[in-house]
Amino acid sequence: LAGFLEQFVLKMPGWGLEDTAQHRLLLVMLTSMFGALLLPLCYAFRLQRFARMIPAPVFAGFNTAVALALLGSQARVLWASQATDGYWVIAIALGVTLVALLARRWLQGWPPGVTALLAASLATMVLLWGGWHAYVSVIPDDHVPALPVMLVSWSDLLTPQIATLSIVRDLALAGATMALLVFLNTMVAEESIGQLTESPPAGLLDGLRSSCALFLGALMGAPLLSPSVAASRAALQVGPLGWRVLCLVSVLVLLLLGSGALALVPMAGVVGLLLYDAWTAFDRPSLRMFRQWLRGQETSRTQIEDLITVGSVVAAAILFNMVLGVFVGVAAGLVLYAWRNGKRMVRLVATGAQSQSNCTRSRADTRMLAQGAARIRYVELEGALFFGAAQDLQALLRSQFGAGHFLVVDWSHVISADSTVAQAVARCLDQAGAAGTRMALCGLDGAAADVPELCQRAVALGCLFPDADRALEWAENQVIAHSRQTLADTHTSMLDAQSWLQGVAADARTALESALELRLFRAGETVFVAGETSSELMILMQGSVDIVLGRDASRGIRVSRIHGGATMGELGFLDASPRSATALATEDLLVGVLSRSRFEDVARLWPEAGKQVLVNLALDMALRLRRTNQIAMRHAR
């Protein structure tokens, strides 16, 4: 507001306004009113998303610039005051700053500013009682309490010689800047408090409420206010105030104004309080990084980028004005955000050997999959993909092309994407076929609103999957199917397909196969439900099964898929524990069921075969657990 007022004073002659205290107050009030009216637009246009793209160094630059501006202005005030009133002015100001800092540190339930001003008032009373020196009060002796709205003449703006349209244009621009600043500060405070309380972010209705309150305050003469992180956390410690407490505070404020007690508050106390604000506004991490860089200590590239951003905001605000600092900060923040996200647009590039689906297969299929794992390529994208990343992303995807390759592109960690990136990936979809590569896209739910044309193109080509697990399963199935076609013997024996019989003698294997009870399930039927107690081992002869968390398979989350030749229900078979998940047939399913009692009958006749079956089951479960751990580590990255 002070920066805007300085510009308004220079423009007053051109507007036809005299430079008076009343006209200055009028312009300040109108700027705050315009800002309050424009604030809901920030919520209506959902600028929260835009604000969250501004990195923390920009806000650190804002805070540091405010701190330096306060420090410089109040230092000039103190220097001018000591020439006429002596060094006691400096002593009171520094004393107030010290008291506020001590109150902040040791008196958690006391507001530091009020405590410091009370201390300044007591010091002033001591000075008056001792007759040492006169003092400069915030309120002169001849002052009559009045609201600022009572001191301005609104009709002055409507006189013929006033350039009203020019004034309104400049005030609207200043108000929009003020609204943006208030909105950004509010977002920072909300993010900080939201991490402590897990409260939902403010919406349009909250913005309208704040706007109404701020507009009424500006109409009465109050400047436009925005929350600070420190004040919000202090208020969080106190808790919400009821209407009784608010009424009591209002009565105390009126008594304070009417009693004339504010005349005991020295100007030096206000200066000290502003110095305290400057001290708390300084961004400490930025200062530590700057000191580390000056000492020649090791500084990362990210820290240097942060320092450059903070320095550019501070330089623009101090050398020119805070308004320019705001625009420089927002521009620097967007450039920094795009630069950093453009550098790390890819989270992982791997082959089928490093990234696998959570599917259980027979040993024959697993062996074929291991031989063709290099033909599966997995690219995991991340961050915000802007037009600047389109060319590099397209080059990366093309580098994964190859004859017989299957390329899976995972979008689940993409925050947002623009149309240029979508067009680049769509071109890769069209070009992949010519290179002998089949592409699959997954995890596009979060970015679907940003790239609808890409989603439609992927659906038309039949290469869109809900998640990476299903997309990788598709690629693995393609590799296995291609491998089977190239084998001279296209079928697998019972021994090769069912790993639980590996190493079992022929006569014992025949007995175990005879002990199996065959069951048929249609696609969509439930094989077993979570919570059921069973000691049956199930061998998938044909078809596949989805393992789903929860009792309701239609609403549960798929954690794995089991294909023909593999087993399921091993834990219940070993210890008769309840089923931990629900099994749903995804296609017509033929299952061989081996009960624990029948297995024990065979094991009594062939003890070595019984031991070998248990070893095979343990090896299969260990392989499955190892694959699950690999998938968990991939997601942790």
Side-chain angles (χ1 to χ4, degrees):
L1 277 175
F4 281 127
L5 185 57
E6 291 178 354
Q7 298 178 23
F8 295 158
V9 169
L10 298 177
K11 294 182 179 181
M12 278 185 181
W15 290 343
L17 281 177
E18 295 182 12
D19 183 9
T20 63
Q22 288 78 11
H23 287 163
R24 291 191 180 196
L25 179 59
L26 175 62
L27 294 175
V28 169
M29 291 173 59
L30 287 174
T31 302
S32 296
M33 292 168 64
F34 270 109
L37 289 175
L38 294 174
L39 183 60
L41 294 179
C42 298
Y43 292 93
F45 289 111
R46 299 179 62 190
L47 293 186
Q48 296 94 321
R49 300 176 298 173
F50 167 77
R52 292 188 177 97
M53 292 182 183
I54 300 178
V58 175
F59 296 107
F62 290 157
N63 292 334
T64 303
V66 169
L68 289 175
L70 285 174
L71 189 61
S73 63
Q74 301 314 302
R76 290 193 297 269
V77 170
L78 287 178
W79 182 255
S81 299
Q82 68 86 24
T84 56
D85 298 330
Y87 288 100
W88 70 270
V89 177
I90 298 178
I92 290 182
L94 296 181
V96 166
T97 304
L98 180 61
V99 170
L101 291 173
L102 293 177
R104 181 189 181 192
R105 177 66 176 85
W106 301 106
L107 301 176
Q108 297 293 332
W110 291 62
V114 175
T115 305
L117 288 180
L118 286 175
S121 299
L122 290 175
T124 301
M125 294 173 65
V126 170
L127 287 173
L128 289 175
W129 178 73
W132 290 339
H133 202 285
Y135 71 100
V136 178
S137 171
V138 173
I139 299 180
D141 295 335
D142 58 348
H143 173 73
V144 177
L147 290 174
V149 68
M150 302 165 57
L151 304 176
V152 298
S153 177
W154 302 93
S155 59
D156 289 354
L157 293 177
L158 302 178
T159 56
Q161 68 272 17
I162 301 300
T164 306
L165 292 179
S166 179
I167 296 176
V168 170
R169 184 184 65 246
D170 287 350
L171 290 177
L173 178 60
T177 305
M178 292 296 298
L180 180 60
L181 275 173
V182 170
F183 180 77
L184 291 177
N185 279 355
T186 304
M187 288 297 102
V188 173
E190 281 187 2
E191 291 290 337
S192 177
I193 301 304
Q195 294 173 6
L196 300 176
T197 63
E198 297 183 359
S199 57
L204 177 58
L205 183 59
D206 299 303
L208 289 174
R209 290 172 179 168
S210 299
S211 176
C212 291
L214 291 172
F215 181 78
L216 290 176
L219 186 61
M220 294 294 103
L224 204 61
L225 300 176
S226 63
S228 68
V229 174
S232 300
R233 290 186 175 180
L236 189 63
Q237 293 177 351
V238 176
L241 302 180
W243 67 271
R244 293 184 179 88
V245 177
L246 292 175
C247 290
L248 178 61
V249 170
S250 301
V251 171
L252 291 176
V253 169
L254 292 175
L255 290 176
L256 188 64
L257 291 173
S259 64
L262 287 179
L264 295 175
V265 178
M267 186 62 71
V270 177
V271 172
L273 196 58
L274 291 175
L275 291 177
Y276 164 75
D277 286 340
W279 177 267
T280 56
F282 268 112
D283 185 68
R284 302 295 190 277
S286 299
L287 293 178
R288 285 195 294 269
M289 283 192 298
F290 184 66
R291 185 167 59 249
Q292 177 181 331
W293 177 74
L294 286 179
R295 292 176 178 176
Q297 299 177 359
E298 183 177 355
T299 308
S300 66
R301 175 175 293 183
T302 301
Q303 290 176 322
I304 294 176
E305 292 172 355
D306 290 346
L307 284 176
I308 293 175
T309 304
V310 172
S312 62
V313 176
V314 172
I318 298 300
L319 296 179
F320 299 97
N321 54 62
M322 199 58 166
V323 179
L324 182 60
V326 171
F327 290 108
V328 169
V330 172
L334 293 178
V335 170
L336 182 61
Y337 184 81
W339 166 258
R340 288 180 174 175
N341 282 279
K343 291 193 300 182
R344 59 169 189 259
M345 62 181 177
V346 177
R347 190 178 188 183
L348 177 66
V349 177
T351 65
Q354 293 91 30
S355 295
Q356 304 169 352
S357 69
N358 194 19
C359 292
T360 303
R361 305 177 185 274
S362 67
R363 289 191 180 179
D365 288 352
T366 303
R367 189 163 50 249
M368 286 186 287
L369 191 58
Q371 294 172 353
R375 296 164 55 192
I376 298 176
R377 302 301 174 93
Y378 176 73
V379 176
E380 189 174 15
L381 307 178
E382 70 169 345
L385 304 179
F386 298 126
F387 63 91
Q391 187 174 0
D392 293 338
L393 178 58
Q394 190 170 352
L396 172 67
L397 296 180
R398 286 174 178 171
S399 68
Q400 304 300 313
F401 288 176
H405 285 188
F406 301 93
L407 174 59
V408 175
V409 183
D410 186 2
W411 290 68
S412 56
H413 292 89
V414 173
I415 301 174
S416 61
D418 64 7
S419 58
T420 306
V421 171
Q423 293 172 4
V425 177
R427 283 193 295 269
C428 289
L429 282 174
D430 297 332
Q431 297 166 359
T437 300
R438 295 181 63 184
M439 279 184 64
L441 305 182
C442 62
L444 267 168
D445 292 343
D450 297 331
V451 289
E453 295 84 3
L454 179 60
C455 294
Q456 295 171 4
R457 180 62 176 159
V459 170
L461 294 176
C463 61
L464 182 63
F465 295 88
D467 52 49
D469 190 55
R470 288 177 171 84
L472 286 170
E473 179 191 4
W474 164 82
E476 292 168 354
N477 290 342
Q478 300 299 317
V479 170
I480 293 173
H482 185 269
S483 299
R484 284 176 178 169
Q485 293 175 0
T486 59
L487 293 175
D489 185 9
T490 59
H491 69 276
T492 58
S493 65
M494 174 70 75
L495 177 62
D496 196 27
Q498 299 178 12
S499 57
W500 70 289
L501 291 176
Q502 291 284 338
V504 177
D507 50 354
R509 175 161 39 87
T510 301
L512 288 170
E513 292 173 354
S514 301
L516 294 177
E517 175 191 349
L518 297 180
R519 297 178 187 174
L520 179 64
F521 298 88
R522 296 298 182 186
E525 290 185 355
T526 301
V527 180
F528 56 77
V529 179
E532 292 181 351
T533 301
S534 176
S535 59
E536 295 177 338
L537 177 68
M538 294 186 172
I539 300 94
L540 275 65
M541 303 292 189
Q542 182 179 350
S544 60
V545 170
D546 273 351
I547 304 299
V548 180
L549 292 179
R551 299 179 61 86
D552 189 351
S554 62
R555 299 181 180 178
I557 300 174
R558 190 190 92 155
V559 295
S560 177
R561 173 167 288 185
I562 301 178
H563 290 267
T567 57
M568 63 181 180
E570 298 93 340
L571 292 178
F573 177 73
L574 294 175
D575 60 5
S577 59
R579 303 291 190 190
S580 58
T582 298
L584 181 69
T586 58
E587 52 187 332
D588 290 346
L589 184 67
L590 179 62
V591 177
V593 180
L594 178 64
S595 65
R596 180 69 187 219
S597 59
R598 289 191 177 185
F599 169 74
E600 290 175 349
D601 291 340
V602 177
R604 277 192 292 269
L605 297 176
W606 289 278
E608 293 299 324
K611 293 179 181 178
Q612 186 61 46
V613 169
L614 294 178
V615 169
N616 289 337
L617 293 179
L619 289 175
D620 285 346
M621 286 191 294
L623 179 63
R624 195 179 306 175
L625 178 60
R626 187 175 295 109
R627 183 183 297 112
T628 303
N629 289 339
Q630 291 175 349
I631 294 173
M633 291 176 62
R634 185 185 76 208
H635 288 297
R637 288 194 297 267

